Amino acid sequence: LGRPRPRPMPAPTLGRPRPRRTHAHTPPVFEPLSRLLTSQGDTAMSGNQARSACDVSGNDVIVGVISSSFGCDPFGVIIDTENGELSSGVLVLDDDCDSNPNDEGRAMSQIVFDIAPGADIAFHPGLQGQAAFAEGIIELAEDADASVIVDDVIHFSEPMFADGIIAMAVNRASDEFGVSYFSSSGNLGTDSYQGQFNPIGIQFPDDPGTTVIVHAFDNNDDTRQSIVIGPGTTTIVLQWDEPYLSAGALTGSESDLDIIVYYDGIFVLASDEENLGGDPIEVLAIENTLDTPLEIEIEIELFEGSPPNLMKYVLFGDSSEIIEHDTNSPTSYGHFNTDGTIAVGAAYWRDTPAFGTSPAIHRDFSSLCGTPILFDPMGGRLKEPRILMQPSVVGPDGVTTSVDGFDIFDGTSAAAPHVAGVAALILECNPGLTPGQVRKILETTAMDMDDQTTPDFDDGFDFTTGYGYIDAVGAVSMSLGRDKNEKNIML
């Protein structure tokens, strides 16, 4: 078509939260005779009562942590150990001080240590590509003997509609090695468009004699959609319902879609991944160099091949949102959305029953789950879409750590290690529990919450808060075959 199409490099991301509810954060909790800082989430989950319920601290349990990096600030690691923020024996299988050396993995490890101070911790980075991530999961399960693993990393190009190689590794760790695997559900709210591809022919702007096929966003043949991108980088991840060659499908995509970007009606840039025979994935990064949000338009073009049926994109970026033809669709995908994962949403620690708010209130950036799985591992289309019951539960966030940049640790990245720490307590109480039983205990004892984006109270499970806010005391008690009122129950 003679248009410039710079090819973006699909980059991994941790999906930073975008808090839309302001709170006055309280000072750190000081315990001068032990550690200097303790996560407020421990109190928000009644962690001390949970540990006392079974006289446990996570002994003989190894928790694997996967994130950006752990010890790129070696002085920080030494100080954390001396101050009792971490145990002295963290096993670092590998580290990554090139991709994003912010030591978020150390902040997550501090949270695990606060909840389960007797557990051993092992670390592996997650930003070195999908294959390395998948290998890291198996190394933590097999070499480090972790029975609990928690991560907070999503790679843009993980498949939305099938299990990719990371999801397969999660399921193998769960099925073969008995790992209870936890992931943050994501911090993207409902910033996703999802719908049937509605093909319509339009005249190519630079060549009136050429017709191109694009998606019409509504019945009025509107082929462009307005979105707002915040300062910095916004990334659009577009996928559609074709097999994923990288995930083991026998054949790849039969469609090639592109994302076209316009500003003030003028073409700016486009994605150009060659999809035919490969993966149905386009990733386009857009840089806003201004200090204020910018309104742009996007167009989805069928560059080559046959039109797909379902298409979906997720918007990654601070202060970025869809402002036209918004479907408010699920934003959690990839290995966050697979059978072996226990996905965790977020609630600010002050907005929980322990601090007078009942039911707990979920963070409005906590990702909506429910992305459908459409293909089996060989790329065959399922007879019916599989909708997994994710997230599983909600944990606390907005807590204090000693890691620079995470002095106030917001998002599902902070919530997930809290729940993983509770799993370590459960497994010390009852080491014979399977990952499925650990999940059932957490879900059965969770305190129901409301998805505040819906008009009525959502009794039971919903795709934002799962089965509710974690009840650490109830979960640990149930692992012993009793409820928290000391009554015997059947596991």
Side-chain angles (χ1 to χ4, degrees), residues 398-416:
V399 301
T400 302
T401 80
S402 67
V403 179
D404 288 344
F406 299 94
D407 51 334
I408 300 297
F409 195 178
D410 285 319
T412 56
S413 294

Side-chain angles (χ1 to χ4, degrees), residues 241-243 309-310 374-376 379-384:
D241 63 339
E242 295 285 351
N309 295 310
L310 182 70
L374 304 177
F375 297 95
D376 64 28
R381 188 179 293 272
L382 301 176
K383 292 182 179 179
E384 296 290 338

